[in-house]
Amino acid sequence: MLAVIFSSLHFPLGVSELYKWPGLNEPLIYLSAGHVRSFCILGARLVKENRNAIITIIVAPNLLSKAQTEILAELGDESFEAAWRRIRCVKHIHSKWPQMLMAYILRVLSSFQSNSQSIFVLTPLAIETYSAVYKALSRAESVSCAVTGVKYDAISAPNVVILSYFAYRQMLATRAISGHKVPIVSWLTGHASAMIRAHGPEYMGGHGNLGAKIDAEAARRGVTPKEIGDTIYNRTDGTVIKIPGIPDMYDWEYFPQVLPFETAMSDFIKEGYGGLKECDAVFTTSTYAFEEQSLNAVKSWISKWNKEVYVIGPLLPSGYGKMVDNRGTGEIKEFMDKMLAERGRKSISFGTIFWPIVQAYIEEIIEALIEKDFPFLLAYASPFATVSDDQVQKINQSGLGLISKWFPQQFILGHPATGWFLTHCGQNGVIESLGCGIPMICWPFETDQPAAAAHLTHNLKVAFELIEVRTGEKGLKPIFRTGRKAKGTREAVGVEIREIIDSCRSEQGDMIRKNAEGIREKFSKTWEADGAGRREFLSFLTNYNVKLA
C-alpha cells in the first residue's frame, strides 16, 4: 500500500515568495500555483497507475481550485471516479467546490481558522496545527475540518511524507510523532544549480551553511541574525562562482536587478538548509535532460549527508508538448488562432511574477514588438506591475498584442502560434517552455534565474538573454563570460531588443528553436516505461520498501 502525504505548507505558508510592499508595515504573501502543480501531477499519476495508492495533498486555500484543475487535467478522460476517492486535498479555508466533490472526492479539511493573509499570523498556526492533523493521520484516525466541522473517515496511515524542503518545522513535528519509521522526503522545485548556490558546499560554489555563518557574525557584532541576515546573503566582492554545469559567473551576476520589494531571503535559506538536513531523501522535479551536470553534483553533495537524491522530473502533464492544452478559451484562443492564421509561429509570450523597477524598459520592448510586427501576449500578474493607460491603448490599437493580468501559460506555450517565451527563468517557466519546444528570451531577476539564464544561453543554446535591462550597482557591473556591461539606458534596451527580434527570425533563431525542440523530445520520454524520472521514483519505492500493490 502506498499512502503519501504531499504538503506545500511550510514557512512561509505555501510555496511562496515573501513580498513587502513599500509603505506597508506587514508583509504580504504571494502564493505560487506553479510549485504546487508538480505535486498534483505526481499525485494524480500515482493514483491513476496504482490501484492501492492513497494520496493526501495539502495546499493553501487560494490554490485549491487550481490543484483540482491540475489533477483533473492529468487524469484526463479516463474513468477516474475511484481514483478521486484516493486523492484528498487538505486546505485551511472552506472550499467552494460542489458538495459532491467535497463529500465524495476531495476529503477537504482545515487545521485552523483564519482570514489573515499575514505570514506572522498564519505560520505559527500552521506549525501548531500540523502536529494534530498528522498525528490523527498516522494513527489511521478520522479527521475533521476546523472551519466546516465536517468529519472525514479514517484511511490507512501514511507510509511516506513528502514536504517542501522549506518545511523544516513540519519535518520536526513529523519526526516527533513517527520517528524514523515513516520516511520524510524533501521536495525541491528549483534549478539544481540554485540548490548548490543556496545550500551547497563552498567547493561547489555554494554558501555552505549560511545560517550558521549569519548566527556567528551576529554574535560577533552583538546584533540579531535577522538584522544582518540579508546583508550577508547579498554581499558581493567580485568572487568568481564556479558551480558545476553553470558558466563561471561573478558573484554580483546573481543580482542583476534591483527588486521592487524586500525579501527575507536569508530566512528562506536557513529553513531550506534545515529541511535538507532533516529529511531522509530528496525528490527534485528537475531533469537530466536539462541540467545533468548540476544534478550529479547535487547527488554527490547530498550523498555526503547519507541521503539519496531522486531526479523525478519533469512533472509535466501527460501528453504535454504534443497536444494543445484545452484550458484556453474565449479572447485568448481567438487571438492566438488569429495570429497563427495571419503570421504563423511568430508570437511571443511574456511570463512574469517579478517586474522591473524601470517602467520605460517594458514600454520600449512593447514599442519594439509593435514596430517589428511581432505579435505578443503580455501578462502582468505581478503585484508590482504597472502598465499605463497609454500603453494599453497602444497595444489594443496595434492589433498585435493582448494584455491581461493572467494567461493560461501552458495553453499559450502549447499553442502553435507561440514562437518565443520571454521569461525570468524560474524553473517552472523554463521546464514548461522546453516541454513544448519553445525557445526563450531571458530577463532574470534573482534566486535561481540568473544562473539558469546563463545555462540556457551559453550551454544549451536554447535562448537569448537581455543584458541591457539590468539595473542597479550590481546589475551594471561586467559579466564574467563576456566582459560586457549594461549601459543602463532605455536607448540601449531598444537597440538590444530589436537586434534580438531580428535574431529570432534568423538562421540563429532557427538553430535555437531546433535545440529547444530536441530537449522537448527528451522530456517526453522521462516518464515512459524506462524513462529516467520513472526509474528513479521506482528506485525510491524499492529502497524504502514501499509497495505499490
Side-chain angles (χ1 to χ4, degrees):
M1 176 69 72
L2 173 63
V4 182
I5 294 178
F6 288 94
S7 177
S8 63
L9 185 64
H10 60 266
F11 171 83
L13 184 66
V15 181
S16 63
E17 281 84 30
L18 172 61
Y19 296 141
K20 188 171 184 180
W21 290 71
L24 291 183
N25 296 323
E26 195 172 79
L28 301 179
I29 298 171
Y30 185 88
L31 294 168
S32 172
H35 293 270
V36 173
R37 181 178 294 139
S38 55
F39 273 173
C40 298
I41 290 171
L42 181 58
R45 195 167 289 171
L46 289 174
V47 298
K48 184 169 63 174
E49 297 181 1
N50 305 284
R51 298 180 64 183
N52 292 319
I54 300 175
I55 308 297
T56 298
I57 300 176
I58 303 175
V59 296
N62 66 332
L63 298 181
L64 188 62
S65 62
K66 292 181 174 64
Q68 178 200 31
T69 299
E70 294 300 331
I71 293 168
L72 285 171
E74 179 62 23
L75 292 174
D77 296 328
E78 299 182 22
S79 177
F80 53 79
E81 189 173 274
W84 264 112
R85 291 177 178 175
R86 291 177 279 119
I87 301 178
R88 310 187 314 158
C89 292
V90 183
K91 72 182 192 83
H92 290 280
I93 295 179
H94 176 60
S95 170
K96 295 181 180 179
W97 295 3
Q99 186 64 30
M100 186 269 294
L101 291 178
M102 280 196 55
Y104 180 63
I105 292 173
L106 293 175
R107 303 283 192 173
V108 182
L109 65 85
S110 169
S111 62
F112 65 89
Q113 299 184 46
S114 177
N115 293 320
S116 175
Q117 291 295 312
S118 169
I119 183 175
F120 299 112
V121 174
L122 297 175
T123 296
L125 288 172
I127 294 171
E128 288 170 15
T129 56
Y130 172 85
S131 292
V133 172
Y134 178 71
K135 184 179 292 185
L137 291 170
S138 68
R139 293 175 176 175
E141 297 173 349
S142 62
V143 290
S144 297
C145 175
V147 174
T148 66
V150 174
K151 184 176 181 179
Y152 298 101
D153 295 338
I155 61 167
S156 301
N159 50 19
V160 177
V161 175
I162 303 173
L163 294 164
S164 168
Y165 84 107
F166 288 117
Y168 178 49
R169 317 294 175 85
Q170 283 86 340
M171 289 185 190
L172 294 178
T174 305
R175 202 68 89 191
I177 294 166
S178 298
H180 288 268
K181 293 184 295 184
V182 177
I184 299 174
V185 184
S186 276
W187 184 267
L188 302 186
T189 42
H191 300 303
S193 59
M195 296 302 105
I196 295 172
R197 180 62 182 148
H199 310 293
E202 293 182 12
Y203 70 84
M204 283 188 181
H207 287 295
N209 188 347
L210 185 65
K213 293 178 181 179
I214 291 170
D215 291 343
E217 181 67 10
R220 188 185 70 80
R221 297 189 196 180
V223 297
T224 66
K226 202 163 192 67
E227 287 178 87
I228 64 166
D230 275 15
T231 61
I232 294 176
Y233 166 74
N234 290 311
R235 188 164 55 199
T236 63
D237 57 10
T239 298
V240 177
I241 307 300
K242 297 176 178 290
I243 294 176
I246 298 299
D248 292 351
M249 298 168 63
Y250 290 121
D251 53 10
W252 55 60
E253 291 185 66
Y254 286 83
F255 306 95
Q257 297 285 334
V258 175
L259 303 182
F261 51 83
E262 298 175 22
T263 67
M265 284 304 302
S266 59
D267 287 343
F268 279 79
I269 291 175
K270 290 172 75 171
E271 293 290 314
Y273 189 89
L276 287 175
K277 291 289 284 187
E278 183 61 39
C279 70
D280 298 296
V282 175
F283 283 164
T284 171
T285 60
S286 191
T287 174
Y288 295 113
F290 173 64
E291 50 178 350
E292 182 173 7
Q293 190 175 349
S294 295
L295 283 166
N296 286 333
V298 169
K299 284 194 164 193
S300 173
W301 148 44
I302 297 294
S303 70
K304 292 179 170 56
W305 292 354
N306 297 315
K307 307 176 199 293
E308 290 285 338
V309 175
Y310 300 90
V311 182
I312 63 171
L315 289 169
L316 295 168
S318 297
Y320 186 79
K322 295 184 177 180
M323 60 186 71
V324 176
D325 188 296
N326 62 7
R327 282 172 277 180
T329 58
E331 184 183 25
I332 299 166
K333 186 176 186 302
E334 289 175 9
F335 177 81
M336 299 291 287
D337 290 346
K338 182 174 184 286
M339 292 300 104
L340 178 63
E342 293 179 356
R343 291 172 172 80
R345 193 174 193 178
K346 295 182 179 179
S347 297
I348 183 170
S349 173
F350 290 71
T352 180
I353 292 295
F354 292 83
W355 195 260
I357 63 167
V358 184
Q359 181 67 23
Y361 290 178
I362 283 281
E363 294 173 358
E364 185 65 29
I365 288 175
I366 291 170
E367 290 182 8
L369 290 168
I370 294 172
E371 175 192 315
K372 291 284 188 177
D373 195 36
F374 206 142
F376 63 94
L377 296 99
L378 172 60
Y380 60 109
S382 170
F384 315 102
T386 56
V387 181
S388 68
D389 292 341
D390 287 344
Q391 285 296 313
V392 172
Q393 184 177 8
K394 184 176 294 186
I395 291 169
N396 292 335
Q397 289 177 347
S398 72
L400 290 168
L402 189 64
I403 181 170
S404 176
K405 273 286 187 183
W406 177 84
F407 288 123
Q409 183 166 288
Q410 291 186 354
F411 168 77
I412 290 170
L413 290 172
H415 195 286
T418 300
W420 295 83
F421 181 41
L422 198 156
T423 173
H424 298 315
C425 301
Q427 192 199 42
N428 288 302
V430 166
I431 295 299
E432 289 179 4
S433 189
L434 290 175
C436 286
I438 302 297
M440 284 158 275
I441 299 171
C442 305
W443 187 338
F445 273 60
E446 203 174 294
T447 60
D448 57 352
Q449 302 164 10
H455 179 55
L456 290 163
T457 55
H458 185 81
N459 294 343
L460 298 181
K461 294 180 172 53
V462 294
F464 296 108
E465 183 178 0
L466 290 166
I467 301 299
E468 296 298 340
V469 295
R470 297 185 176 208
T471 57
E473 179 187 356
K474 295 174 183 177
L476 299 182
K477 288 185 175 181
I479 297 169
F480 182 82
R481 60 189 183 278
T482 64
R484 179 178 171 182
K485 290 183 181 180
K487 297 180 179 65
T489 66
R490 176 170 177 164
E491 181 183 10
V493 170
V495 170
E496 181 180 48
I497 187 59
R498 287 168 175 81
E499 289 175 349
I500 286 178
I501 291 171
D502 291 340
S503 295
C504 289
R505 293 165 164 167
S506 69
E507 289 185 4
Q508 183 185 12
D510 292 340
M511 180 270 291
I512 286 175
R513 179 180 308 284
K514 185 177 180 181
N515 292 341
E517 290 172 345
I519 292 178
R520 175 189 62 188
E521 292 306 309
K522 293 178 181 178
F523 278 14
S524 68
K525 294 177 171 58
T526 57
W527 267 85
E528 290 182 353
D530 195 40
R534 181 188 291 273
R535 280 201 316 270
E536 297 222 359
F537 182 75
L538 294 177
S539 175
F540 162 78
L541 297 179
T542 299
N543 291 343
Y544 283 88
N545 196 31
V546 178
K547 307 295 184 185
L548 284 176

